[in-house]
Amino acid sequence: MTRFIILILLCITSVANAIGGEVPDTMAERVKACTICHSAEDKVGRDAYYPRIAGKPQGYIFNQLRNFRDGRRYYQPMVVLLENMSDEYLREIAQYFSSLQLPYPDPERIQMQPEEIKLAQHLIYSGSPERNIPPCSACHGDILMGVEPAIPGLIGLSRAYITAQLGGWRSGSIMRSRTSDCMSEIAKQLTEREVNAVAKWLANQSVSGKPGSFNVLSPELVARCSRTILENGGAE
């Protein structure tokens, strides 16, 4: 609620500034309401639940903006911000944030037991075929920095955010849709222990490299996850 109030106050302040003096008509100015939560600063405490979007694949950002606007994802401040924006403008916003190359925070350095590390690495790089769980690296890239144009990286995110997202996929609270999606199907197969191990391990890794190319994805995964990774995949 506090974030929502601040967001509204910022919008009011922006209008007042526009009346009182000239404000540069730049995308950086236009997205200031976004950077209240999605700032370039290190995320600690409650702020860890707001992800970094700078440098993420443009298609991924666009898909999520459209999902919020169209009600497939729901978070009130996002809905209020986006409800009257066109696809064209959402693409401009996505392009702007995707182009930002800002420093990443240092890894979290979370203590892990050897068996936790082994479990996390197995799921991330080998998956669990008997449960129809592909390795994380199969979609998010060998170095887990994402795949252009629409799959996000997993490195550089906080443990709190990763845990919350996996929990949301498991409970079905992230995507409001009559049709299931691949991340929900996969996350529902994970145990609490597996979620915690994966979140810890990912949060402990240093950022290195850039998103990979779409052609590294197998046709099977593209078909399975088309609702998530293709530009029209979220449409019902």
Side-chain angles (χ1 to χ4, degrees):
M1 179 59 71
T2 301
R3 290 276 179 173
F4 184 60
I5 293 172
I6 293 174
L7 187 154
I8 296 299
L9 290 175
L10 179 63
C11 292
I12 294 172
T13 302
S14 297
V15 172
N17 287 341
I19 295 173
E22 185 174 348
V23 176
D25 185 17
T26 63
M27 187 56 72
E29 284 291 330
R30 296 179 189 178
V31 300
K32 279 188 174 179
C34 306
T35 55
I36 292 175
C37 297
H38 301 284
S39 68
E41 299 172 0
D42 194 1
K43 303 293 186 182
V44 295
R46 185 172 180 275
D47 282 352
Y49 290 98
Y50 297 93
R52 170 198 176 101
I53 54 178
K56 288 192 181 296
Q58 181 176 340
Y60 170 75
I61 299 173
F62 170 70
N63 281 347
Q64 301 318 304
L65 291 173
R66 191 173 58 171
N67 284 336
F68 279 117
R69 183 199 64 189
D70 295 346
R72 287 184 291 272
R73 293 189 69 169
Y74 186 77
Y75 179 59
Q76 187 180 12
M78 291 294 296
V79 173
V80 171
L81 279 176
L82 303 173
E83 60 184 348
N84 295 314
M85 294 186 184
S86 66
D87 279 6
E88 180 181 4
Y89 194 53
L90 294 184
R91 285 193 180 92
E92 289 185 44
I93 295 173
Q95 193 282 326
Y96 170 79
F97 279 109
S98 179
S99 69
L100 296 179
Q101 300 300 318
L102 303 174
Y104 281 83
D106 292 332
E108 291 190 37
R109 308 301 182 193
I110 303 165
Q111 291 293 322
M112 296 184 69
Q113 298 298 318
E115 59 270 21
E116 285 185 296
I117 296 174
K118 182 178 179 180
L119 174 61
Q121 290 178 333
H122 181 78
L123 287 168
I124 289 167
Y125 293 111
S126 300
S128 180
E130 66 276 11
R131 291 184 288 165
N132 201 23
I133 299 176
C136 303
S137 58
C139 279
H140 295 275
D142 290 341
I143 60 173
L144 305 173
M145 286 299 292
V147 172
E148 296 285 1
I151 300 178
L154 302 178
I155 307 299
L157 298 171
S158 71
R159 172 192 177 186
Y161 177 75
I162 297 169
T163 302
Q165 288 299 101
L166 287 173
W169 286 116
R170 293 175 73 202
S171 68
S173 63
I174 288 186
M175 295 294 285
R176 294 181 168 186
S177 173
R178 292 187 297 271
T179 305
S180 186
D181 55 79
C182 64
M183 270 306 305
S184 180
E185 293 170 356
I186 293 166
K188 286 177 180 177
Q189 298 294 319
L190 298 174
T191 66
E192 290 284 350
R193 178 169 175 263
E194 289 171 335
V195 167
N196 289 329
V198 167
K200 287 180 183 179
W201 190 90
L202 290 171
N204 278 344
Q205 307 310 304
S206 298
V207 171
S208 177
K210 296 181 179 180
S213 171
F214 185 78
N215 60 16
V216 304
L217 300 178
S218 71
E220 293 79 12
L221 282 176
V222 171
R224 181 179 181 182
C225 298
S226 62
R227 289 177 53 80
T228 302
I229 64 178
L230 301 180
E231 183 171 295
N232 64 349
E236 294 183 2

